Amino acid sequence: MAVSASGDGAVAATVALSIAAVDETVSRRIGAPSARLRSDTAHRLGPPGDSDSEPWRGTALRVLSVDEYARADDVVGRFARYPDPALRVDARRVDVRATNPAVRQAAARLRATRRRLGAVGLAATQCGVDAAMVALGDDVYCNPVITARSPESEMLAWRETCLVLPPDVVVETLRDRWITVEAQGLEGRRVRRTFVGEVARAMQHEMDHMHGVLIIDHAADLDRDVSRLFPRLADLERPAHGARRARAWARETSHAYE
């Protein structure tokens, strides 16, 4: 499903064919008795006080730089909720140097927020921070890029929820079975990791966030994935859904940061 770079018309045609293929694959795998369909319980926990019956209330966080996030008070637990514009930020590259204490402080706050929320992973953009940083477990990856993916034929089907969305939103997705990621550690050293299965899914989910992509961008049918707790979701998403869905399924293997 790689997107051709040979002109707007070719890109549109390639993306349209790719999305059609994804729809067919999702339907086939999810409908089959042997479908490898799993529930993303880790992202279903939600912040304290969330419930499946309370009306959904979004946020409007001021987007912070890494330096601002590192210096600010009371930011552990700071978290964006849809339709906060901070969730659509395509994160800037982080200046990672051994002499840059702001990055280490920001990473510590990102880890603490992840633990407080009970999440498997967390992207800095979910906390309203314009920084290409992802926490997965207790590891923090700066400026991560996907350099290799498993074959498209090996993609796994999942049912995903997300802390930033109303808890009744469940989206069927396809994720690569494994990915190889290159990133920088907090001291600036290059790291290379290959993630498989659930951990690969979690990393792809968080790297989507890093680029302003939400699981609803993967949805084949916004009306089917409508939220009872936030009924305006489908109407808000519909105008840009085609372009966002094309990006969500592009399966890029590199990304150029500003």
Side-chain angles (χ1 to χ4, degrees), residues 10-64:
V11 169
T14 304
V15 168
L17 289 171
S18 297
I19 288 176
V22 167
D23 287 342
E24 181 181 352
T25 305
V26 169
S27 299
R28 183 172 65 252
R29 290 191 177 178
I30 290 177
S34 60
R36 290 174 290 188
L37 185 64
R38 301 178 176 92
S39 174
D40 179 12
T41 54
H43 286 84
R44 195 170 294 182
L45 296 174
D50 264 5
S51 80
D52 290 344
S53 59
E54 296 176 359
W56 180 257
R57 294 179 178 83
T59 57
L61 300 182
R62 184 173 75 85
V63 177
L64 304 176

Side-chain angles (χ1 to χ4, degrees), residues 169-214:
V169 174
V170 184
V171 178
E172 295 166 353
T173 67
L174 284 177
R175 300 285 189 185
D176 291 297
R177 185 177 67 82
W178 61 260
I179 56 172
T180 297
V181 172
E182 293 186 8
Q184 288 175 282
L186 299 180
E187 302 297 330
R189 288 188 293 270
R190 286 282 173 181
V191 296
R192 188 172 185 267
R193 299 282 187 276
T194 295
F195 303 96
V196 181
E198 154 61 16
V199 185
R201 183 213 58 77
M203 190 64 174
Q204 289 170 83
H205 182 115
E206 302 310 335
M207 289 185 68
D208 270 359
H209 277 300
M210 191 179 74
H211 297 310
V213 174
L214 306 178

Side-chain angles (χ1 to χ4, degrees), residues 87-115:
L87 295 170
R88 292 301 186 178
V89 168
D90 193 355
R92 290 180 180 272
R93 186 178 181 85
V94 178
D95 180 12
V96 185
R97 294 170 294 172
T99 56
N100 189 352
V103 172
R104 293 192 294 277
Q105 178 67 10
R109 293 178 170 193
L110 194 61
R111 286 193 198 100
T113 298
R114 182 199 64 76
R115 288 192 292 266

